[in-house]
Structure formats: structure tokens, C-alpha cells
Amino acid sequence: MQRFSGLSLIRRGLTGQRGWQPQWRQAEPKAAYDAIIVGGGGHGLGAAFYLAKEHGLTRVAVVEKGWIGGGNTGRNTTIIRSNYLFDESAALYDHSVQLWEGLSQVLNYNVMFSQRGVMMLAHTVHDVQVSQRHVHANRANGVDNEWLTPEEARAICPLLQTDDIRYPVLGAAFQRRGGTARHDAVAWGFARAANALGVDIIENCEVTGIRRDSHGAACGIETTRGFISAPRIGVSAAGHSSVIMKMAGVELPIESYPLQALVSEPVKPIFPCVVMSNTIHAYISQSDKGEMVIGAGTDAYTSYTQRGGLHISRHAIEAICELFPMFRRLRMMRNWGGIVDVTPDRSPIIAKTPVPGLYVNCGWGTGGFKATPGAAHLLAWTIARDAPHPINAPFTIERFRDGNLIDEAAAAAVAH
Amino acid sequence: MLLINCPYCGERPELEFVHGGQAHIARPANPAECSDQQWADFLYRRDNIKGLHAERWRHTHGCGRFFNALRDTTSDLFLATYKVGEQPPTQAQLKGATA
């Protein structure tokens, strides 16, 4: 792997940017691996990286139906935070934020993690009470979060309109360690680092079946490019988790919905943090290119179409125009949808399955990007040791049978 | 926005409706006799089909009645809507309807 450094950038810059090598090699599927990861998004590529780096498993393949990072990794609004209510969730999401904090150095790849702060607005008395409860719960769990008055919120984000709107801003919860990262760089950085450790990244390879041996254990995958054998298979397929897991006879408590986002034309740096509002439902931040990145809600019905109803986007834009009147003249450039896998309690599943040798990381719903390194790290641990890490131990499939739900509907922030 | 054909009122915009999830899930007649797994399956497990999906809708801002629909989740195209208590149309009936 060609290492990146300030010096190498200057040297290539002075010689016409020639001599850069491809950052990972295109691999042909081999007949057998020690482990296969299904799904080449940030979560799957990261799991392969951690399997190789921390568990010494280097005969690993990542198989991806399309191109890496082309699913929800490339479709989300890149917000990172860990201000979730319950102990289990706080541990899970903060594990991820801690990995984000060192990720660029670990990968030798700039993922542009920017801890610009995430502000979640409160518009009603109920909002204020719930937000303050979140702040206190977070602080008790060692997760930074603080309560802001409307004046303090405006001091941080001067564009914010707090008065003279239908739902005035009564305060806000602010997590300073939260922020954004460059989504593509996360997929590419993990792919490059995993590949350097020997992981094969196989694109344009759709899984069509999961083969099980005479004892019922998973022993390989059927793909559009032939059968690939492996004693351990990790599935990290986001909106298509139900489809893939059904191939092994595993039924999930998941429904897939389209979730939309949109970006404006690029403008000068004007927006210092991330602002989210659960109540009037909008969230917004500015990318490093200058586009305002806006998140909308999910559609009411399940679908795999990767688009969504225009009225859903419109609803988000109306809320943005109310909170930030100067954006009323901003033109939107693109909008798109991704398919998100939603569980009944809005918490993910990172677990062993009833099928030996088959592991799953799914159910991230509307908020999986923030968890990319954490989920990847924990999935790799679970695969390598055939047992969950203490952090993901509560996030089983069986919690729905046993009644141990981790209800994060309020913290999930996206209306659904 | 989808255009949905309510079996009672005819075609109306999606905004008038509420999605009611997967159709034809029967509540166990005697929940006390269910195992934990059976009860969890009733409450939480869903087919989440990529393809033809039988689902419930309620015409909340219209007649207020529930009905069922058959929709392709890869295109969002409605193939049929039908009343509660009726079985979804078969492939042969659907072909006859579109021919």
C-alpha cells in the first residue's frame, strides 16, 4: 500500500500527480476463504478490515452486489453522534465515536471526521423534558451532551431562527463530540486498508444463496460469479438484510423503508454545526464542498425502490425554511433515497444467528452511518470469536422473543 | 406520491391513507397457549418481501375503512386492492385483469 503523508502529497503535486497507484486491487473470487462478508458498504468493509487487523484473519472476502459504498454508505447525511438514551445504546454508539476519533490515523486515510457538534432542537415543553432527560442520561453514561438556551443555541448557530416561527425553539441539546465525516472516504479508506492486509474486495458479485452443510451450518455462498466457500459468513446488507438472511432460513424482525436526503447548490461556509429537529422533522449540515445536506423522513410504506415520495422531501424543506429563512432561496441540486432496515425498537442487531457460522449486522434503520467503525469492529469480533463483544451482547435477534427491547425511537431522530 | 385505489371510494392520493403493515397476519386465537417465539413472531416478524407484498391500508381521511392491497415493492406499482376478509387475487386473476 502506498502510504499517504503530507510529504507524498507535495512530491506528487510537484510532479503532475503522476505515480499514484490504485488504492485497492480488483479481486476475482477464489474458491474458498476463512470468512466472507456480504455487503461492501462501510460496515462490511470495516468488518473485513478489523478481522484482518485485530483477529489475524486475512483470507477474507467482501462481496458486493454493485460497487463499494454505493448503498446507504453513499446515500446518508453523514451525521455522527452518540447521544442515545439507554445504557446499552450509549455504550454502542460511543464505542463508534471513539473509533471515529482515531480513524483517519488508523486507516492512513483522511475520512474528514469533523467534530463540529450536533444540536438537537426542542420546540415544546415535552421536547424540553425529553431532551433534558437525554442530556442527563448521556452525562451519567460518560457521553458528552449539554443543554443550551435559545440564546446559547443562536450564539453557536447564528442562522437559527428561534422566535416568530410556528414552533419556537425553547432550547437545544448539544453534543460537541458529534459531527460529520466524508462518507465515500470511509468506504474507500476501509477498502484500501483491508486490501493492504490481504482482504479481497469483489464488486459486481450478487449473493443468490447461502449454502448450509449436513449439520445446518453455513458453509458458503452462491453468487452470480460462482460458489465461494467459507466456514464463517457475516451479513451486513442494510435494507436487503431480510432478503439475504431468508436464503439461510433466518427470519428477521425488520421492515425496509425508503429514506430520503437532498443537497443544495454549494455555497460559502456559513453553517458551523449539525442542526436536527425531531418535532418539525428536519436535519441539516454543510458539506466541505459547500452543499447544504438535508435529511428527510421515511416513506409510510415498505419499499426497495431507492426513491421516495416528493411530499416527504417537501415536508423536510418546509421545516428547514422555517428554521433558516435565508435558505428559502437556496436551490436544491439532487435528491435520492436509500433503503433502511428498521427494527421494532429502532436498535440494531449485531449477533450470532440460529445458523452456526452465520452472523448478522443489521437493523440500523435510519442511523447506521454514525456507527460504521463501531458496528464493523463488533461484527468482526463476533465472527472471529463466535461470541459477541460485551458491547453488542444485548443487540441479539432473540431480544424480541425475550422482551429485552432497547427502545430508541426517541433518539433515532428520523420520523418513522 | 402514490395514487391508491380504495375499494370503497376509488382512486385517491396517498396523503389520505395510512399504511397498516403486512396483511393477513392473524392474531393467535389463544395467546396464552403461544410459545414466546410464536408470540414474538406474531408481534415482530415480518416477511419484508422484495416483490409482491400483501399489505393493509386505511383510508383515514376518507371512508376510514381498512382494506388490503397487493403492491410490488420493487416498483411501488399497485396490482390490486381488495376488501378485508377477501383473499389476495391469484397470479391468474392478475394476468386477466391487466390483459
Side-chain angles (χ1 to χ4, degrees):
Chain A
M1 181 175 83
Q2 215 173 13
R3 279 192 71 79
F4 294 138
S5 66
L7 196 64
S8 74
L9 287 178
I10 292 168
R11 194 160 56 219
R12 303 283 173 202
L14 293 173
T15 54
Q17 301 293 355
R18 282 186 298 274
W20 292 115
Q21 295 164 0
Q23 297 186 21
W24 61 88
R25 70 198 143 71
Q26 294 293 326
E28 287 298 315
K30 293 182 191 134
Y33 291 92
D34 289 337
I36 293 172
I37 304 291
V38 178
H43 285 229
L45 293 162
F49 167 73
Y50 288 115
L51 274 175
K53 178 165 181 284
E54 302 206 340
H55 304 285
L57 278 178
T58 53
R59 290 180 65 231
V60 174
V62 177
V63 296
E64 165 56 44
K65 174 171 68 173
W67 61 94
I68 62 166
N72 292 352
T73 297
R75 292 165 187 270
N76 67 88
T77 51
T78 78
I79 297 167
I80 294 163
R81 59 188 174 88
S82 59
N83 52 357
Y84 283 69
L85 181 63
F86 293 106
D87 298 355
E88 297 89 341
S89 318
L92 176 66
Y93 289 98
D94 212 57
H95 177 59
S96 192
V97 168
Q98 287 169 29
L99 288 172
W100 277 113
E101 286 171 339
L103 196 60
S104 292
Q105 285 70 37
V106 168
L107 298 180
N108 179 233
Y109 202 96
N110 187 4
V111 299
M112 300 186 183
F113 180 45
S114 159
Q115 291 178 298
R116 59 186 68 179
V118 173
M119 185 185 291
M120 298 179 83
L121 304 178
H123 301 270
T124 64
V125 171
H126 175 73
D127 271 2
V128 171
Q129 290 167 345
V130 169
S131 299
Q132 290 186 341
R133 183 184 174 205
H134 272 72
V135 168
H136 295 312
N138 290 157
R139 293 168 75 120
N141 273 318
V143 175
D144 75 303
N145 202 351
E146 60 198 89
W147 178 252
L148 304 178
T149 63
E151 294 72 33
E152 289 167 333
R154 270 204 312 272
I156 291 168
C157 187
L159 302 187
L160 180 65
Q161 177 95 3
T162 53
D163 304 314
D164 297 327
I165 56 177
R166 174 67 182 83
Y167 294 100
V169 175
L170 304 182
F174 191 52
Q175 186 182 20
R176 292 182 191 270
R177 284 165 67 237
T180 61
R182 169 99 168 95
H183 49 3
D184 292 330
V186 178
W188 299 336
F190 271 128
R192 172 173 169 272
N195 190 232
L197 295 170
V199 171
D200 278 356
I201 292 159
I202 305 165
E203 295 175 298
N204 299 309
C205 182
E206 183 174 354
V207 175
T208 55
I210 294 176
R211 198 181 285 181
R212 297 171 66 179
D213 65 17
S214 56
H215 303 291
C219 63
I221 54 171
E222 314 278 356
T223 75
T224 48
R225 295 170 70 175
F227 176 72
I228 310 173
S229 124
R232 297 174 216 194
I233 298 164
V235 175
S236 200
H240 280 73
S241 296
S242 301
V243 176
I244 301 283
M245 295 303 284
K246 252 181 230 170
M247 295 173 185
V250 177
E251 303 276 356
L252 294 173
I254 279 181
E255 291 190 292
S256 296
Y257 294 88
L259 176 67
Q260 290 180 75
L262 52 162
V263 294
S264 74
E265 57 191 334
V267 290
K268 288 187 176 177
I270 44 170
F271 207 75
C273 60
V274 178
V275 174
M276 317 180 64
S277 165
N278 286 11
T279 297
I280 61 174
H281 199 269
Y283 42 106
I284 184 166
S285 63
Q286 188 170 25
S287 76
D288 291 337
K289 272 196 292 184
E291 303 149 331
M292 301 310 300
V293 183
I294 297 169
T298 59
D299 276 288
Y301 47 84
T302 62
S303 179
Y304 288 85
T305 55
Q306 291 192 327
R307 52 177 193 260
L310 186 61
H311 59 293
I312 305 286
S313 296
R314 184 191 165 123
H315 181 72
I317 291 172
E318 282 170 356
I320 293 295
C321 291
E322 181 101 333
L323 291 170
F324 307 101
M326 70 181 287
F327 290 157
R328 283 175 189 169
R329 295 178 62 187
L330 205 57
R331 283 166 296 193
M332 291 298 139
M333 280 206 308
R334 299 185 298 277
N335 89 321
W336 63 89
I339 301 304
V340 299
D341 40 333
V342 177
T343 57
D345 62 358
R346 305 322 190 229
S347 285
I349 296 167
I350 315 173
K352 298 171 68 171
T353 69
V355 176
L358 184 65
Y359 308 85
V360 69
N361 165 43
C362 65
W364 288 98
T366 56
F369 179 75
K370 66 174 78 69
T372 302
H377 180 258
L378 297 168
L379 177 62
W381 176 294
T382 307
I383 292 173
R385 310 209 176 190
D386 193 34
H389 187 283
I391 293 176
N392 66 308
F395 294 90
T396 62
I397 304 175
E398 291 76 24
R399 73 174 185 269
F400 297 97
R401 177 195 67 198
D402 301 337
N404 298 321
L405 272 60
I406 305 161
D407 186 356
E408 289 288 358
V414 172
H416 51 270
Chain B
M1 189 177 303
L2 305 177
L3 206 54
I4 302 176
N5 187 19
C6 170
Y8 305 96
C9 311
E11 285 197 333
R12 299 293 177 88
E14 179 195 336
L15 276 185
E16 294 187 12
F17 297 86
V18 171
H19 186 251
Q22 185 179 331
H24 307 297
I25 298 175
R27 182 184 166 91
N30 189 350
E33 286 177 6
C34 287
S35 68
D36 288 351
Q37 189 60 55
Q38 286 168 331
W39 189 243
D41 286 349
F42 163 67
L43 286 180
Y44 300 123
R45 193 185 66 70
R46 296 293 177 264
D47 292 339
N48 200 21
I49 288 168
K50 186 177 185 183
L52 275 191
H53 185 237
E55 61 192 11
R56 302 188 307 168
W57 286 86
R58 184 172 177 234
H59 194 184
T60 314
H61 302 290
C63 62
R65 280 189 271 199
F66 274 99
F67 60 92
N68 295 326
L70 208 55
R71 182 175 55 90
D72 187 340
T73 60
T74 62
S75 64
D76 291 341
L77 184 74
F78 282 90
L79 283 95
T81 53
Y82 53 100
K83 293 177 182 174
V84 169
E86 295 176 358
Q87 285 304 303
T90 61
Q91 288 289 348
Q93 285 169 323
L94 287 173
K95 275 193 187 130
T98 52

